[in-house]
Amino acid sequence: MRPSMLRSMESALRRAAGARSFSSGAAPGRKVAILGAAGGIGQPLSLLMKLNPLVTRLSLYDIAGTPGVAADVSHINTAAQVAGFAGEEQLGEALEGSDIVIIPAGVPRKPGMTRDDLFNINAGIVKSLSTAIAKYCPHALVNMISNPVNSTVPIAAEVFKKAGTYDEKKLFGVTTLDVIRAKTFYAGKAGLPVEDANVPVVGGHAGITILPLFSQATPSTNALSHEDIKALTKRTQDGGTEVVEAKAGKGSATLSMAYAGAVFADACLKGLNGVPDIVECSFVQSSITELPFFASKVRLGRNGVEEVLGLGSLSDFEKQGLENLKPELKSSIEKGIKFAKEN
């Protein structure tokens, strides 16, 4: 019998992913690579992916420290076989044969830093890793966690285009933490069971570009005033800053981000395996607005993105939020594209 904690964690992932099956069954073997696996997000994410029965091979890569993380995680009594790789010379081996590549690599936010402040360091890291993905596993789904996501996803897209491997259906900016925060804050304020709450979040993955659609939240409630909705929106947008400040300079949102990354990767795995009706919010190439990339609900399938879903009906407050976010999101996207083309 599996440990009760493992069953509980599987149950939590199942609820977060919309009560869908979390069982390996006769699913094909899948290799997942985590780039940045020795970091603050990478280590707990490695643990959570080791617990996922859909993963048969777990490849952990970082510039240093990964063999220790791999040895530690490998002792957990689940089926996934774990291998650790350290240094650029082992990156190719880490990536080869991967079905999904998750990228939490880079420096974390510190007090007073915006996601944009991270750009100069993380942009170069993402460009280098994306170049390797294009070479060693060009058909893998790529789950981008490295911030600023509004810029790093366009950087990866440009690298893949240059390499001739770009498939817009297989590149995702992981915005799941915004959804998880919105669900948690909404349920708490409305007095609803948090495991039943669902709130779509659209736009981007930084500050005002994060737009939770509380008008579409389920279960619906009349308990929240317009001021409550404004406050919940602001808290969702500032969720990362809330954690950075609470950690007083000693970290950012690593644990909740790792959980969010594991939830989204699980959804991608289910889509690859043909499980129907897998819908998650993600920052992807999109035509639902005039911007080339946008976060919205996405239907996942065997090829990655099966369908980018529309925004649905918006409240007047959300319509204004949508217009307000566009200039900043447009600037961040253009910044990423410019970096990729000039470096």
Side-chain angles (χ1 to χ4, degrees):
M1 182 176 291
R2 311 187 87 176
S4 61
M5 179 178 290
L6 177 55
R7 291 198 302 272
S8 297
M9 294 186 77
E10 288 183 0
S11 178
L13 279 168
R14 189 165 54 238
R15 290 195 302 272
R20 297 184 296 269
S21 170
F22 190 74
S23 172
S24 56
R30 297 295 182 186
K31 177 179 177 179
V32 174
I34 300 176
L35 309 185
I41 297 170
Q43 291 199 41
L45 178 58
S46 299
L47 166 64
L48 291 170
M49 295 313 297
K50 178 69 166 83
L51 299 179
N52 191 317
L54 300 178
V55 179
T56 52
R57 291 187 292 160
L58 184 60
S59 177
L60 306 182
Y61 172 83
D62 214 319
I63 55 175
T66 345
V69 176
D72 195 356
V73 171
S74 72
H75 293 179
I76 295 169
N77 60 324
T78 57
Q81 297 297 305
V82 182
F85 302 91
E88 290 185 19
E89 66 279 1
Q90 295 187 359
L91 178 54
E93 188 179 356
L95 288 170
E96 284 176 343
S98 294
D99 295 287
I100 296 178
V101 180
I102 312 173
I103 310 179
V107 298
R109 290 177 67 192
K110 297 177 182 178
M113 290 178 70
T114 65
R115 285 182 174 85
D116 204 48
D117 292 329
L118 304 175
F119 181 85
N120 288 332
I121 298 174
N122 288 357
I125 294 171
V126 166
K127 186 172 186 289
S128 176
L129 295 175
S130 297
T131 300
I133 291 168
K135 181 177 181 180
Y136 294 105
C137 55
H139 303 298
L141 303 190
V142 178
N143 294 0
M144 185 69 69
I145 292 174
S146 302
N147 276 316
V149 165
N150 294 351
S151 299
T152 55
V153 168
I155 288 171
E158 291 301 316
V159 171
F160 297 153
K161 287 175 185 177
K162 185 176 180 180
T165 65
Y166 182 55
D167 184 344
E168 69 274 13
K169 296 181 179 182
K170 297 187 175 183
L171 176 60
F172 303 88
V174 180
T175 61
T176 312
L177 182 52
D178 301 324
V179 176
I180 287 170
R181 285 173 173 151
K183 290 178 180 181
T184 301
F185 302 158
Y186 172 77
K189 188 67 176 177
L192 298 168
V194 69
E195 63 269 18
D196 296 334
N198 193 21
V199 183
V201 180
V202 303
H205 184 57
I208 67 164
T209 71
I210 299 167
L211 183 61
L213 303 182
F214 289 111
S215 70
Q216 298 179 22
T218 56
S220 60
T221 179
N222 295 320
L224 301 180
S225 67
H226 178 63
E227 291 304 312
D228 289 332
I229 296 299
K230 286 174 64 178
L232 286 172
T233 298
K234 185 74 164 60
R235 190 179 179 199
T236 303
Q237 292 171 338
D238 293 343
T241 301
E242 181 179 316
V243 175
V244 168
E245 292 178 350
K247 290 189 175 181
K250 296 183 179 179
S252 58
T254 53
L255 302 176
S256 53
M257 185 63 249
Y259 173 72
V263 168
F264 187 73
D266 180 62
C268 288
L269 286 164
K270 290 188 174 73
L272 287 174
N273 291 348
V275 178
D277 299 320
I278 306 296
V279 177
E280 296 288 341
C281 292
S282 183
F283 186 67
V284 297
Q285 181 173 311
S286 173
S287 60
I288 64 171
T289 72
E290 64 272 25
L291 300 176
F293 295 90
F294 199 82
S296 68
K297 288 182 179 179
V298 173
R299 190 181 312 281
L300 301 170
R302 293 187 184 277
N303 299 306
V305 175
E306 294 293 333
E307 182 182 8
V308 178
L309 303 177
L311 297 178
S313 178
L314 305 182
S315 69
D316 289 341
F317 174 70
E318 292 161 355
K319 289 177 183 176
Q320 186 59 55
L322 177 61
E323 293 309 309
N324 290 345
L325 72 82
K326 286 180 180 178
E328 182 171 325
L329 182 53
K330 181 175 184 286
S331 176
S332 295
I333 293 169
E334 290 175 347
K335 186 174 183 178
I337 293 172
K338 181 180 179 183
F339 176 88
K341 289 184 174 180
E342 293 183 355
N343 292 274

